[in-house]
Amino acid sequence: MWKIEIVQQVVKKQTMNVGTAHSEVNPNTRVMNSRGIWLSYILGIGLLHIILLSIPFFSVPVVWTLTNVIHNLGMYIFLHTVKGTPFETPDQGKARLLTHWEQMDYGVQFTASRKFLTITPIIFFADECPHPKAASTSWSQNLWHQQVLNATSRV
C-alpha cells in the first residue's frame, strides 16, 4: 500500500514540470514557428502603420513609405546583421557566428517561416503601389529600398 503512495507522489512530481522546458538546443531555430508569432508580426507592422498615420503632417503615401522603410531596415538588422543568440546554448559557440536567418529552421531553405518572411515585405510593397495618392517618387523610393535590402541580405 505504501509503495503505491510513493509511486503516485513520484508521478505527481514528474508531471508538474511538463511543458515548462524546451528541448531545443537553440530556441532561435524554432521561434518563428511558435504559436501566434506570424499574427504578432503582422499586428506589429499594422501598429507601426497606425502610429505613423497618427502623425498629422505625414501624408498617406509618406506613411506607407515610412512603414516599408522602417519595417525593412528593422528586419534587415534583426535577421541579417545581428549574430548570436540571446540564450545560453550548449552548442559550443556555433550559434554565435550565425545570424538569425541562418539559425532559423536549422538552416533549411524554403520552410514556411522563411517563405512568410520573404513574401511579407513584397506584399506590403505591392499594397502601397496602387495607392491613388502615391507619387512616383514614393513608389521609386520603395522599389529602390526593396532592391537594396534584397541585394545586401544575400551577401
Side-chain angles (χ1 to χ4, degrees):
M1 186 79 159
W2 58 271
K3 288 183 181 179
I4 294 173
E5 291 177 12
I6 292 174
V7 169
Q8 288 174 346
Q9 289 176 353
V10 169
V11 169
K12 283 183 182 179
K13 287 181 181 179
Q14 288 176 349
T15 59
M16 291 184 66
N17 289 331
V18 172
T20 58
H22 59 80
S23 61
E24 296 291 333
V25 173
N26 181 0
N28 270 356
T29 58
R30 296 282 181 204
V31 71
M32 288 307 290
N33 291 329
S34 60
R35 183 178 298 181
I37 196 74
W38 291 6
L39 178 63
S40 300
Y41 174 72
I42 296 296
L43 290 175
I45 296 170
L47 182 65
L48 170 67
H49 188 70
I50 290 171
I51 289 170
L52 291 173
L53 278 173
S54 67
I55 299 173
F57 53 86
F58 285 158
S59 66
V60 174
V62 169
V63 169
W64 273 111
T65 301
L66 285 175
T67 301
N68 282 330
V69 169
I70 291 170
H71 167 263
N72 290 342
L73 282 175
M75 292 309 288
Y76 176 74
I77 290 169
F78 173 69
L79 290 176
H80 300 290
T81 305
V82 177
K83 293 187 177 188
T85 177
F87 314 102
E88 186 169 336
T89 59
D91 64 356
Q92 302 293 318
K94 292 178 188 173
R96 68 183 173 85
L97 301 174
L98 301 174
T99 64
H100 186 76
W101 184 261
E102 294 166 336
Q103 294 176 40
M104 195 169 32
D105 297 326
Y106 297 106
V108 176
Q109 297 296 321
F110 306 114
T111 60
S113 299
R114 288 177 183 244
K115 289 177 185 178
F116 174 75
L117 289 173
T118 302
I119 198 72
T120 303
I122 297 168
I123 290 172
F124 282 124
F125 172 72
D127 189 35
E128 187 269 337
C129 289
H131 195 275
K133 294 183 180 179
S136 62
T137 57
S138 174
W139 182 85
S140 60
Q141 287 172 348
N142 280 328
L143 180 64
W144 178 82
H145 198 263
Q146 290 281 86
Q147 294 302 320
V148 167
L149 287 180
N150 188 19
T152 56
S153 66
R154 294 182 182 183
V155 173

